[in-house]
Amino acid sequence: MTEKRVKTIAFANNKGGSGKTTTCANVGYSLSLLGRRVLLIDGDMQLNLTLSFFPEDEVMDYACGEKNLYAAMKKEEDLWDYVVHTPYENLDLVPSSTLMSGIEYELFAKWQRELILSRSLKRLKEEGGYDYILIDAPPTLGGWVMNILCASDYVILPVEASPWG
Ligand SMILES: Nc1ncnc2c1ncn2[C@@H]1O[C@H](COP(=O)(O)OP(=O)(O)OP(=O)(O)O)[C@@H](O)[C@H]1O
Ligand SMILES: [Mg+2]
């Protein structure tokens, strides 16, 4: 019998507004409707993925509190304790924070700084029971996006088709 293995997929493109968050939210929700267990990770300070599934006041409570991705990354903690259940079945999320704007600075002096997200996801990948972990990246190309890519098995790059090529 082959062991079930979670697939981790990043939605990334350093071009802003290319459809990363929309695609990530829609793919995650669609998979959850099919009965797959999905964990979404909002890796962007704009909070748009979190706002896709929670009302604004709740998003701000997460963003200003301690249960968000920034708090976990800053302390290099396991993400297990940072997962919140969305109102939708099979769909969990790690909320973001506006403080993610300072994540590059936080990561700068840490040991193996491009692997911090990867390390913090280890237990969730092994014991979380998820079929998919989907990570929404910000429109940047620095050390934080490197963390997202290092933690992922696949990358989806949404692009806008235009007549300009
Ligand atoms: N497939 C699509 N077709 C048409 N419009 C889309 C599509 N995907 C996203 N959009 C629209 O494009 C805009 C930007 O989408 P979205 O916020 O998902 O991009 P993003 O890459 O996450 O942006 P950012 O880089 O700021 O995080 C939104 O108004 C969204 O509704
Ligand atoms: Mg986005």
Side-chain angles (χ1 to χ4, degrees):
M1 199 174 91
T2 52
E3 198 182 317
K4 192 182 104 175
R5 189 172 178 270
V6 56
K7 289 185 172 60
T8 305
I9 306 172
F11 294 77
N13 186 337
N14 63 316
K15 184 174 180 346
S18 56
K20 296 178 286 295
T21 305
T22 309
T23 313
C24 183
N26 286 339
V27 168
Y29 182 60
S30 304
L31 287 168
S32 75
L33 289 181
L34 292 171
R36 306 296 191 280
R37 287 205 62 214
V38 179
L39 174 66
L40 302 167
I41 297 179
D42 189 348
D44 188 359
M45 60 161 277
Q46 297 178 96
L47 315 174
N48 287 333
L49 187 64
T50 313
L51 283 164
S52 303
F53 297 97
F54 290 100
E56 205 171 318
D57 53 345
E58 214 169 319
V59 173
M60 290 324 290
D61 283 348
Y62 289 131
C64 301
E66 279 297 300
K67 199 150 185 162
N68 62 58
L69 187 61
Y70 178 79
M73 294 299 93
K74 188 178 161 88
K75 290 183 265 179
E76 296 188 53
E77 283 187 345
D78 198 312
L79 275 183
W80 186 274
D81 297 320
Y82 291 81
V83 172
V84 298
H85 301 299
T86 72
Y88 306 94
E89 206 180 343
N90 298 322
L91 201 59
D92 292 343
L93 179 132
V94 176
S96 187
S97 164
T98 49
L99 293 174
M100 283 298 285
S101 56
I103 190 72
E104 300 287 343
Y105 174 78
E106 286 298 339
L107 295 175
F108 187 68
K110 292 194 192 296
W111 179 70
Q112 292 189 333
R113 60 191 174 204
E114 62 287 331
L115 297 177
I116 290 163
L117 178 62
S118 186
R119 282 200 292 268
S120 69
L121 272 172
K122 193 169 182 290
R123 186 174 167 209
L124 280 167
K125 284 184 180 180
E126 289 172 357
E127 301 170 34
Y130 293 106
D131 297 299
Y132 292 92
I133 297 175
L134 308 181
I135 311 175
D136 185 30
T140 57
L141 251 192
W144 172 236
V145 172
M146 194 60 73
N147 262 270
I148 293 176
L149 297 179
C150 286
S152 304
D153 305 307
Y154 305 92
V155 186
I156 292 179
L157 278 102
V159 293
E160 183 183 2
S162 82
W164 314 113

